[in-house]
Amino acid sequence: MDERQDTFPRLLLQHARVRPEHPATREKDLGIWQTWSWSQVADQVRALACGLAADGFRRGMHLAIIGDNRPRLYWSMLAAQALGGIAVPMYQDAPAADFVYVLNDAEIAYANVEDQEQVDKMLEAQPQVATLRHIYFDDPRGLRNYEHVSSFDDLQARGREFDLAHPGWYDAEIAKGETDDVSVMLYTSGTTGKPKGVCLTHGAFIAAGRGGCDFDRLTERDSILSYLPMAWVGDHLFSFGQWLVAGFTINCPESGDTVMTDLREIGPTYYFAPPRVFENLLTTVMIRMEDAGSIKRGLFRHFMAVARRCGAEILAGKPVAAGDRLQYWLGNLLVYGPLRNVLGMSRIRIAYTAGAAIGPDLFRFYRSIGINLKQLYGQTETCAYVCLQPDGEVKLDSVGKPAPEVDLKIGAGGEVLVRGPMLLREYYKRPDDTAESIDADGYFRTGDAGLLDDGGHLKIIDRAKDVGKLANGAMFAPNYIENKLKFFPHIKEAVAFGHDRDRVCAFINIDMGSVGNWAERRGLAYSGYTDLAQKAEVRALIRECVEQINAELAGEGELADSQVHRFLILHKELDPDDDELTRTRKVRRGFVAEKYGVLIDALYGGKQVEHIETLVRFEDGRTNMVAADLVIEDAQTFAATGRRAA
Amino acid sequence: MTTHERRSGEVILRLDNISLAFGGVKALTDISFDVREHEIRAIIGPNGAGKSSMLNVINGVYHPQHGTIAYRGEVRRSMNPHAAAASGIARTFQNIALFRGMSVLDNIMTGRNLKIKSNFVEQAIWIGRARREELENRRKVEEVIDFLEIQHIRKTPVGRLPYGLQKRVELARALAAEPSMLLLDEPMAGMNVEEKQDMCRFVLDVNEQYGTTMVLIEHDMGVVMDISDRVVVLDYGRKIGDGTPDEVRGNQKVIDAYLGVAH
């Protein structure tokens, strides 16, 4: 028996041997949680792999994986890897046109997709993708009359026949796998240019998974909810890498809209979410709290004040006065416990956030009600594994210490450089990019500007290439300003401009949920986003937010010059379908600046109102024109206080 | 991509010379048409043309003064709602008729009412047959919930849902009865474009997956022409056109009725 545990298929077989009855995967189907044990998963993967083999899938080939988090899509990744193939998960919400590039770039011949929606997109892309021959689907609904596509059930049935006809073949394929083989190719979201395929090996992801599991003592008894896009490196690390290293249980939600409910039902012990998700959860709670009776509201307010005062300290194990401790204990009984339960976080031991900066209030809120929320730092090229915050050393403005086996240093221009077993093998078919991103000593250039503080914690300031200078030479870190703005619940997105200019101006997107609710409580009528965004009351609301961050910036040394002088609220939400955001919802700064050049001119040209018309593209490819007259607001700025002598 | 060749089968419903009047008001005059198994049959016409009356005649809410209705070979003067439901005809309403205070799940469960055989006492003490039936019915309901993608509102009271979703819940309740014929009264009225597209997809999916025969009333010509196999056109209670969408589109009487005609 093969005792090596250096590829994912071998890890799967290992779990099937050691803990055959332990739940490996759950999915809510027809309202009931279905469970597959490790031995059942091993059997399912075997059937999928043999089916692919029967249809001609061979070593080194790429298998596209497209859909929401479904067990059989996770298993498909293992099936491809068992045959020495490479899984290529893709963002499921992209339109067909976007798939064409990636499918061609990865020379996809086989695609395992979720449902009719994805099959339609594959068939639409197929004429432009010469290699694409085999399309398999999980959910047969609406696909009865489709030709030349095949269901997973049929695929697995063919696989079982193939397996019987070729005894020992499957095991021999797994035995051929090497730890340095590429296991997965993840496409970077492409803030700049076309997406690049990042080739990561079994060894890299297993190292990252093992490092994380040891660091946080994750075992097979843990349980997580797998609800983030499968094409995202974070999900691949948590729901795949660590899943197979630790042997815990992944739970697939019923649908994208039921995640809140599913979270409560499962009660995971380990949880990962970008700040946006934590923010949405909090907003939901706050909106419900405002509708609650006065006694409940009073209790909530009182004990949240207690939690703010001492909750985070109690979680970090710091000394706290006995009176506060008693109050906190009572609060835990009456408010925090029930609240954690509503959030589905009663059993959480460790929660991580990453992908973007998290607001101070948000971060403190979760920690103060006893949820061990921590930050981590990493990118696709490093298996999302560079820095982790150790328990008891959680700081808001840092992303933690270098993780085990990671070698980190700060290079020229403050750029963060890392080296370790988790690095990418290469960018697929892009040797120039590969050479550019890894220096002679084997350090990967993260492209983030950061610094190490006295305790050895890494603090990220901005993207190295985004850090610019104002006309007077002062540092201009747009992300830093935008994040400050986005920490207000009313502001969903912000884009700051200022490089080579004399002052900073910004575009704002309001948060429809939060501002909509605010307007409703004030009896302010509106017809939609465009209308609401241009209400004088809303503009005043946003101006207050801007002025508040200006006051903060005034006290932050060199950044005092980055106060936002003028701003406008955009007439539409920035959207990945219009190429304004990446699929991971990061602003494509250059594109936005070009597209809305006329608005920037208006901001800097001193105009009070500017007319704009924009073409909006819907998910199904239809388009529509949105036009509006945008009012430009001037915000109060403050004299710099506490400016350090240069 | 999606195939539009449906397995239209035998005629299962034939209406012959139906006339319906309320006092002196003639709602329907001498109307005849048929519905084939598995097809999507649309009834269109301007306001007050008699579309809803036609549907009410089919499921027995109104009793026509003249004419006959032949359903699955059985010829009668009129239907009655109970018999219609028992023989596999389900419907939705123009103005949503759900229990607003009850959850989506409970509303859809009421669609299974006719399938429940256990009596009140058995259900009250929750044993044997009652329990088995409830499980079986719940499973069916969950399939419908999955089919119409409304898992996220399973426990939400219907009154709190937006209009488009309520329409979907109503369709779910009708589907839960596992009908062989489904009457849809303006399933897309008052919906926005996206909701209409969703609804069209569900109607086509239901038809494809379960082979359910559909009779639908619709205002939106675009929708009708896209999804129906055959269309009946009514105007002032009379039939002025009948045929495939293309035939109806070319019919001069229909064009006049919809676009108006110079006198």
Side-chain angles (χ1 to χ4, degrees):
Chain A
M1 184 89 8
D2 198 345
E3 289 300 331
R4 287 177 294 168
Q5 292 177 32
D6 54 0
T7 68
F8 286 117
R10 285 193 194 116
L11 284 172
L12 171 67
L13 295 185
Q14 161 79 4
H15 291 305
R17 260 197 312 273
V18 177
R19 48 185 70 88
E21 300 306 317
H22 190 79
T25 309
R26 288 195 199 102
E27 181 192 26
K28 194 172 181 186
D29 187 33
L30 297 183
I32 296 170
W33 286 96
Q34 315 285 336
T35 307
W36 290 268
S37 69
W38 280 106
S39 62
Q40 285 170 322
V41 170
D43 178 59
Q44 294 274 347
V45 169
R46 187 182 185 108
L48 278 171
C50 291
L52 287 169
D55 286 2
F57 190 87
R58 291 294 176 268
R59 300 198 85 68
M61 285 188 173
H62 292 153
L63 175 68
I65 310 275
I66 306 165
D68 286 331
N69 315 62
R70 298 269 77 97
R72 289 203 281 193
L73 293 182
Y74 283 111
W75 304 340
S76 293
M77 297 209 253
L78 276 164
Q81 293 167 354
L83 302 177
I86 297 158
V88 188
M90 299 177 185
Y91 284 100
Q92 74 277 17
D93 58 347
D98 288 10
F99 279 123
V100 172
Y101 175 79
V102 184
L103 290 170
N104 275 320
D105 189 63
E107 294 145 0
I108 296 292
Y110 295 79
N112 279 16
V113 307
E114 184 193 1
D115 56 7
Q116 185 185 18
E117 182 189 346
Q118 306 298 348
V119 169
D120 282 347
K121 287 197 260 187
M122 289 298 104
L123 293 174
E124 197 182 328
Q126 205 167 23
Q128 298 167 67
V129 184
T131 47
L132 182 57
R133 289 253 167 67
H134 303 270
I135 299 165
Y136 307 99
F137 55 83
D138 186 6
D139 180 359
R141 192 177 103 200
L143 290 164
R144 186 193 290 258
N145 296 328
Y146 280 48
E147 284 166 6
H148 313 299
V149 295
S150 162
S151 73
F152 280 15
D153 288 337
D154 292 345
L155 179 69
Q156 288 183 310
R158 283 200 295 284
R160 294 206 159 90
E161 276 172 33
F162 180 91
D163 200 12
L164 281 177
H166 302 79
W169 188 85
Y170 174 75
D171 300 297
E173 284 298 306
I174 290 183
K176 282 187 210 162
E178 294 295 336
T179 192
D180 288 335
D181 290 345
V182 173
S183 67
V184 69
M185 204 157 94
L186 299 172
Y187 274 83
T188 56
S189 44
T191 340
T192 49
K194 287 286 184 193
K196 292 183 278 196
V198 180
C199 301
L200 296 155
T201 63
H202 289 270
F205 252 113
I206 291 175
R210 190 153 282 144
C213 289
D214 291 348
F215 188 83
D216 285 311
R217 300 176 306 282
L218 298 171
T219 69
E220 77 276 5
R221 286 185 305 277
D222 282 299
S223 177
I224 70 166
L225 189 72
S226 302
Y227 69 102
L228 293 163
M230 291 178 69
W232 186 46
V233 63
D235 186 67
H236 199 73
L237 176 64
F238 284 72
S239 302
F240 192 81
Q242 296 190 338
W243 173 51
L244 283 156
V245 166
F248 54 60
T249 312
I250 58 170
N251 301 281
C252 298
E254 191 167 21
S255 81
D257 298 326
T258 60
V259 169
M260 261 296 255
T261 327
D262 297 330
L263 191 66
R264 272 180 78 180
E265 288 174 358
I266 286 297
T269 58
Y270 180 45
Y271 182 64
F272 183 65
R276 173 169 47 88
V277 171
F278 284 108
E279 201 177 321
N280 289 346
L281 281 174
L282 178 59
T283 310
T284 322
V285 168
M286 287 308 184
I287 288 173
R288 279 173 62 180
M289 244 2 265
E290 292 198 10
D291 294 339
S294 59
I295 297 176
K296 282 185 188 164
R297 268 211 315 273
L299 267 177
F300 182 76
R301 223 172 280 141
H302 172 74
F303 283 110
M304 284 321 294
V306 172
R308 259 196 302 280
R309 202 160 63 226
C310 63
E313 285 70 19
I314 288 175
L315 186 67
K318 291 183 185 145
V320 170
D324 276 349
R325 226 170 242 287
L326 183 69
Q327 286 249 33
Y328 189 84
W329 176 83
L330 203 60
N332 197 28
L333 216 61
L334 294 171
V335 177
Y336 322 137
L339 184 55
R340 284 197 304 270
N341 186 30
V342 166
L343 292 168
M345 297 186 179
S346 290
R347 299 205 302 152
I348 285 194
R349 272 200 308 125
I350 297 144
Y352 273 110
T353 184
I358 185 163
D361 292 343
L362 193 61
F363 193 60
R364 215 179 146 77
F365 170 82
Y366 283 98
R367 288 196 63 80
S368 71
I369 61 166
I371 291 163
N372 187 15
L373 178 60
K374 308 196 286 182
Q375 301 188 68
L376 66 78
Y377 169 72
Q379 39 279 111
T380 311
E381 289 86 345
T382 58
C383 299
Y385 179 76
V386 172
C387 285
L388 296 165
Q389 289 186 325
D391 286 339
E393 291 182 55
V394 176
K395 297 189 224 173
L396 175 69
D397 60 353
S398 100
V399 292
K401 285 180 168 174
E405 291 192 76
V406 173
D407 175 11
L408 183 147
K409 67 175 187 183
I410 304 294
E415 188 171 5
V416 178
L417 305 176
V418 290
R419 193 165 66 174
M422 72 300 172
L423 284 197
L424 74 162
R425 156 85 72 79
E426 59 179 352
Y427 290 110
Y428 189 61
K429 293 195 298 194
R430 287 166 184 262
D432 294 352
D433 288 326
T434 311
E436 198 181 308
S437 68
I438 299 177
D439 72 10
D441 299 329
Y443 281 94
F444 171 74
R445 304 159 57 118
T446 61
D448 287 326
L451 45 94
L452 287 168
D453 71 7
D454 301 338
H457 285 253
L458 180 69
K459 182 177 175 179
I460 300 293
I461 303 169
D462 202 339
R463 293 294 295 170
K465 66 171 175 49
D466 285 341
V467 174
K469 288 206 179 315
L470 295 173
N472 69 0
M475 183 172 83
F476 168 63
N479 267 310
Y480 190 77
I481 301 165
E482 290 158 11
N483 284 334
K484 269 186 180 296
L485 284 168
K486 286 196 282 185
F487 292 154
F488 292 101
H490 296 318
I491 298 180
K492 186 168 187 192
E493 201 59 72
V495 192
F497 303 96
H499 183 57
D500 286 342
R501 296 187 185 264
D502 57 342
R503 56 197 172 149
V504 176
C505 293
F507 292 168
I508 307 274
N509 262 172
I510 54 169
D511 186 289
M512 198 57 193
S514 168
V515 179
N517 197 271
W518 178 86
E520 211 170 287
R521 271 181 283 130
R522 267 154 197 78
L524 198 60
Y526 62 96
S527 62
Y529 181 88
T530 312
D531 183 35
L532 181 62
Q534 290 309 311
K535 294 269 180 220
E537 294 89 339
V538 172
R539 281 185 277 120
L541 176 77
I542 300 301
R543 191 173 58 234
E544 276 174 36
C545 300
V546 171
E547 285 169 356
Q548 206 172 319
I549 73 138
N550 282 348
E552 284 174 28
L553 284 167
E556 296 190 30
E558 202 178 358
L559 293 172
D561 292 322
S562 293
Q563 294 182 48
V564 178
H565 287 251
R566 310 187 81 207
F567 73 92
L568 58 79
I569 304 176
L570 285 176
H571 53 302
K572 69 177 275 290
E573 292 184 90
L574 298 176
D575 196 299
D577 287 339
D578 295 322
D579 295 329
E580 292 152 343
L581 301 179
T582 65
R583 289 278 153 207
T584 47
R585 310 206 164 257
K586 288 180 184 149
V587 174
R588 299 171 76 164
R589 198 171 295 286
F591 181 86
V592 170
E594 200 172 306
K595 181 169 179 179
Y596 298 111
V598 55
L599 295 180
I600 298 178
D601 292 345
L603 280 170
Y604 284 100
K607 275 197 180 181
Q608 291 308 315
V609 181
E610 182 62 271
H611 182 75
I612 180 95
E613 276 181 39
T614 315
L615 197 68
V616 179
R617 195 147 61 108
F618 296 107
E619 210 166 299
D620 60 2
R622 282 175 308 117
T623 57
N624 193 14
M625 287 300 275
V626 175
D629 291 311
L630 304 186
V631 180
I632 295 169
E633 290 279 325
D634 290 287
Q636 190 191 344
T637 55
F638 301 84
T641 54
R643 181 189 278 258
R644 274 174 294 181
Chain B
M1 252 163 290
T2 49
T3 54
H4 276 278
E5 307 159 25
R6 284 192 209 90
R7 314 138 284 172
S8 287
E10 299 293 301
V11 171
I12 56 166
L13 175 72
R14 183 191 303 280
L15 297 125
D16 283 309
N17 309 100
I18 297 287
S19 294
L20 174 72
F22 301 104
V25 182
K26 285 186 172 173
L28 299 169
T29 312
D30 199 24
I31 290 180
S32 305
F33 69 93
D34 59 19
V35 179
R36 292 174 186 278
E37 193 146 26
H38 307 308
E39 79 174 338
I40 298 183
R41 186 73 149 126
I43 304 175
I44 65 171
N47 272 333
K51 304 183 297 288
S52 290
S53 299
M54 198 66 243
L55 220 55
N56 283 328
V57 166
I58 296 177
N59 87 324
V61 176
Y62 295 158
H63 297 211
Q65 283 82 3
H66 299 284
T68 56
I69 303 168
Y71 182 64
R72 295 193 180 279
E74 200 177 324
V75 183
R76 7 182 163 190
R77 287 295 306 279
S78 68
M79 304 284 278
N80 79 61
H82 278 97
S87 61
I89 301 179
R91 73 168 293 179
T92 67
F93 298 84
Q94 189 173 348
N95 311 310
I96 297 167
L98 291 164
F99 302 99
R100 296 179 56 81
M102 272 160 53
S103 72
V104 167
L105 183 65
D106 289 339
N107 266 287
I108 303 175
M109 277 299 254
T110 60
R112 301 290 299 170
N113 201 19
L114 281 172
K115 311 274 175 191
I116 294 174
K117 302 284 181 295
S118 55
N119 61 38
F120 173 75
V121 178
E122 283 173 300
Q123 288 178 27
I125 51 179
W126 184 244
I127 46 153
R129 187 164 66 159
R131 193 188 168 96
R132 265 198 319 278
E133 270 185 354
E134 171 111 7
L135 289 176
E136 171 59 23
N137 287 321
R138 174 69 189 269
R139 201 179 57 76
K140 272 276 171 251
V141 166
E142 286 291 344
E143 279 173 22
V144 174
I145 288 177
D146 181 63
F147 193 86
L148 295 180
E149 295 169 10
I150 45 177
Q151 299 99 330
H152 60 295
I153 50 167
R154 200 184 268 132
K155 304 272 171 74
T156 313
V158 162
R160 278 183 24 205
L161 296 176
Y163 184 76
L165 273 178
Q166 293 195 11
K167 281 271 192 192
R168 216 189 288 177
V169 174
E170 207 186 26
L171 176 61
R173 180 179 62 183
L175 279 182
E178 297 177 76
S180 58
M181 183 186 281
L182 190 52
L183 312 179
L184 303 173
D185 196 347
E186 302 218 12
M188 287 157 237
M191 287 190 172
N192 64 32
V193 178
E194 201 172 324
E195 289 170 332
K196 274 186 190 170
Q197 280 185 340
D198 280 350
M199 198 50 134
C200 281
R201 193 164 56 81
F202 287 128
V203 167
L204 288 169
D205 282 352
V206 168
N207 179 259
E208 189 191 305
Q209 184 96 3
Y210 301 116
T212 313
T213 310
M214 308 257 191
V215 178
L216 72 97
I217 292 178
E218 190 46 65
H219 242 83
D220 189 326
M221 284 289 275
V223 166
V224 171
M225 297 306 178
D226 277 353
I227 68 173
S228 1
D229 296 301
R230 292 191 301 153
V231 182
V232 179
V233 192
L234 302 184
D235 190 22
Y236 295 112
R238 288 173 192 278
K239 182 168 103 171
I240 58 167
D242 190 354
T244 65
D246 283 333
E247 288 164 7
V248 166
R249 219 181 312 227
N251 183 329
Q252 191 56 44
K253 278 189 199 161
V254 177
I255 297 170
D256 292 345
Y258 264 87
L259 302 178
V261 58
H263 290 287

